[in-house]
Amino acid sequence: MTKVDIVTNVYERLGFSKRESSEIVEKFFAIIKESLANNENVKISGLGNFVVREKKARKGRNPQTGEEIEIAPRKVLSFRLSQVLKSEINDSAEK
Amino acid sequence: MNKIDIVNKLSETANINQKVAKIVVDTIIDSIKQAIVTGDRVEIRGFGSFSLRSYKPYKGRNPKNGEVVNVPPKRLPYFKVGKELKEAIWKEG
């Protein structure tokens, strides 16, 4: 499934044109992205939480030359699955 | 930020009323959920992708009392962060 399929679902369910549907779906993802870029976590009940985590600076090595290098502090995004969805997936797997 | 905040913001930026915005948000989330549950890979350019990964059963331990427990095989979605989103988060740091 890609964004196009999501746009189609929005188009079919609401009265928007395909173009409007596409713009609205883009805005939805842009809102989430902006929030995460501002260091604010996003919680979507029933799906999961998008959490920004800070990583400290650490020393690494270039595996080719063995040279020691500093890995800069950075932020990464992790997705924590909703417990409800987790059990939904595994219940359907047993059938 | 939670779902209600997203609905409000979407209503503002897309210039649609809140009721409609809520249906839009629910439709998008349901589409993603439905695909994940059925094992379909979800790919959203610039954002990320969800794919279902299978895990074999293993013996784990209850960290409280050290008791051995059997962990059944399970399937869990894995979210891979898209390049654009990754860079957007990184740059702010």
Side-chain angles (χ1 to χ4, degrees):
Chain A
M1 188 178 90
T2 64
K3 211 151 41 186
V4 180
D5 303 297
I6 299 174
V7 170
T8 305
N9 288 347
V10 171
Y11 164 75
E12 281 171 359
R13 187 139 171 217
L14 294 124
F16 299 115
S17 69
K18 285 223 164 158
R19 193 184 161 165
E20 285 168 327
S21 305
S22 168
E23 282 170 5
I24 293 170
V25 170
E26 291 290 350
K27 284 198 171 102
F28 170 85
F29 289 108
I31 288 166
I32 296 178
K33 192 166 146 184
E34 198 191 305
S35 172
L36 294 171
N38 289 328
N39 237 350
E40 197 194 339
N41 297 339
V42 176
K43 295 180 183 181
I44 298 172
S45 53
L47 188 71
N49 299 344
F50 293 95
V51 185
V52 179
R53 284 164 43 203
E54 310 239 357
K55 294 266 190 178
K56 285 182 192 149
R58 62 187 167 92
K59 283 204 169 85
R61 252 176 220 284
N62 180 332
Q64 247 165 35
T65 61
E67 199 187 326
E68 211 170 73
I69 43 168
E70 179 87 357
I71 298 171
R74 66 215 155 94
K75 290 194 283 188
V76 293
L77 177 64
S78 69
F79 173 69
R80 301 195 59 191
L81 181 69
S82 139
Q83 290 300 311
V84 180
L85 186 57
K86 186 178 174 182
S87 55
E88 242 176 83
I89 291 166
N90 288 289
D91 288 348
S92 75
E94 281 159 25
K95 278 170 201 165
Chain B
M1 176 175 252
N2 59 27
K3 202 158 89 176
I4 299 156
D5 300 320
I6 298 173
V7 169
N8 291 339
K9 196 119 196 222
L10 187 65
S11 154
E12 256 172 57
T13 58
N15 209 8
I16 51 180
N17 78 44
Q18 295 207 347
K19 258 189 187 164
V20 175
K22 184 174 186 302
I23 301 171
V24 170
V25 169
D26 284 338
T27 304
I28 297 171
I29 293 168
D30 285 347
S31 305
I32 297 173
K33 254 173 76 174
Q34 203 51 44
I36 291 175
V37 171
T38 55
D40 191 11
R41 189 185 136 87
V42 183
E43 189 175 332
I44 298 151
R45 276 285 152 86
F47 189 77
S49 61
F50 295 92
S51 55
L52 210 51
R53 290 188 173 178
S54 300
Y55 295 86
K56 286 181 191 155
Y58 60 92
K59 284 193 202 312
R61 259 175 208 283
N62 180 332
K64 260 192 191 144
N65 55 26
E67 217 174 283
V68 177
V69 284
N70 286 313
V71 181
K74 59 190 169 190
R75 298 194 302 173
L76 294 175
Y78 169 76
F79 176 70
K80 187 169 192 289
V81 187
K83 203 178 160 202
E84 256 179 64
L85 182 58
K86 198 189 244 176
E87 283 169 359
I89 291 168
W90 200 341
K91 276 195 189 107
E92 291 298 319

